[in-house]
């Protein structure tokens, strides 16, 4: 496939995988000055981005959930070369949705609820994923999976626990 959704989706997956690999290969610390707050936020954002990208790739190029037919290239780490990238596993919608759910659950745990100028860089003030965006996307995924009670629980969390940030 050669179109913007395919290219940008897998571009996001690849970059998120590379950064997640870097965190894992460096004992959970993405760079020297990072403390637990920064590391959690970065890993949470990366998991959110990977989940979001795979969600849209699956929605556009795969059959509706549930479906066990392998259809889409599937990587959870960065390919070390072109040949490895070409030999990626192929996954079903069920496999991809399982990764999406796992990534979003972890993102929800790792991401902050909101920007805090005392601990976050100024660039985090606007437009970044937070705990509630992860929960909202997780609700959308659960809804598409037919897991309506789980979707409602995530949306109740967003509505009831956001401290007034989202009406």
């Amino acid at each position: 496939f050669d179109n913007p959704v395919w290219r940008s989706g897998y571009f996001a997956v690849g970059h998120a995988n590379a950064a997640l690999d870097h965190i894992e290969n460096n004992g959970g610390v993405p760079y020297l000055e990072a403390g637990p707050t920064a590391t959690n936020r970065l890993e949470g954002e990366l998991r959110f981005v990977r989940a979001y990208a795979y969600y849209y790739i699956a929605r556009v190029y795969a059959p509706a959930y549930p479906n066990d037919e392998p259809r889409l290239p599937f990587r959870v780490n960065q390919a070390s070369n072109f040949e490895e990238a070409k030999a990626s596993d192929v996954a079903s919608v069920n496999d991809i949705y399982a990764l999406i759910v796992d990534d979003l659950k972890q993102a929800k745990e790792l991401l902050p609820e909101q920007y805090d100028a005392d601990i976050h860089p100024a660039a985090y003030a606007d437009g970044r994923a937070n705990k509630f965006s992860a929960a909202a996307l997780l609700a959308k995924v659960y809804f598409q999976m037919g897991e309506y009670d789980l979707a409602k629980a995530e949306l109740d969390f967003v509505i009831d626990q956001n401290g007034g940030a989202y009406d």
Side-chain angles (χ1 to χ4, degrees), residues 72-96:
L72 296 172
F74 186 64
R75 295 209 60 90
V76 294
N77 57 14
Q78 180 66 28
S80 59
N81 57 52
F82 184 67
E83 292 304 314
E84 185 181 342
K86 286 188 340 184
S88 295
D89 290 338
V90 179
S92 70
V93 172
N94 295 1
D95 299 326
I96 291 181

Side-chain angles (χ1 to χ4, degrees), residues 4 31 33 35 42 50 58 60 62 70 72 78 92 99 108 120 140 142:
Y31 49 89
E33 297 82 25
L42 290 169
R50 182 170 68 183
V60 173
L72 296 172
Q78 180 66 28
S92 70
L99 176 69
K108 183 180 167 188
H120 299 126
K140 193 172 190 172
Y142 280 147

Side-chain angles (χ1 to χ4, degrees), residues 55-116:
Y55 174 73
Y56 277 96
I57 291 167
R59 294 273 302 155
V60 173
Y61 298 105
Y65 181 92
N67 190 300
D68 280 329
E69 183 183 339
R71 283 289 193 80
L72 296 172
F74 186 64
R75 295 209 60 90
V76 294
N77 57 14
Q78 180 66 28
S80 59
N81 57 52
F82 184 67
E83 292 304 314
E84 185 181 342
K86 286 188 340 184
S88 295
D89 290 338
V90 179
S92 70
V93 172
N94 295 1
D95 299 326
I96 291 181
Y97 271 53
L99 176 69
I100 293 168
V101 167
D102 184 59
D103 273 350
L104 290 172
K105 284 180 176 180
Q106 289 185 60
K108 183 180 167 188
E109 292 299 316
L110 294 166
L111 288 168
E113 290 184 7
Q114 61 186 353
Y115 170 73
D116 181 343

Side-chain angles (χ1 to χ4, degrees), residues 41 45 111-112 114-116 120-130:
R41 178 181 55 80
E45 287 177 349
L111 288 168
Q114 61 186 353
Y115 170 73
D116 181 343
H120 299 126
Y124 192 78
D126 298 305
R128 300 296 279 268
N130 63 29

Side-chain angles (χ1 to χ4, degrees), residues 21-44:
D21 286 352
H22 179 74
I23 290 171
E24 183 179 329
N25 294 336
N26 288 283
V29 181
Y31 49 89
L32 293 176
E33 297 82 25
T37 301
T39 300
N40 287 347
R41 178 181 55 80
L42 290 169
E43 182 179 347

Side-chain angles (χ1 to χ4, degrees), residues 125-146:
D126 298 305
R128 300 296 279 268
N130 63 29
K131 189 175 295 287
F132 300 110
S133 57
L137 183 55
L138 182 55
K140 193 172 190 172
V141 172
Y142 280 147
F143 189 81
Q144 290 203 267
M145 294 172 71

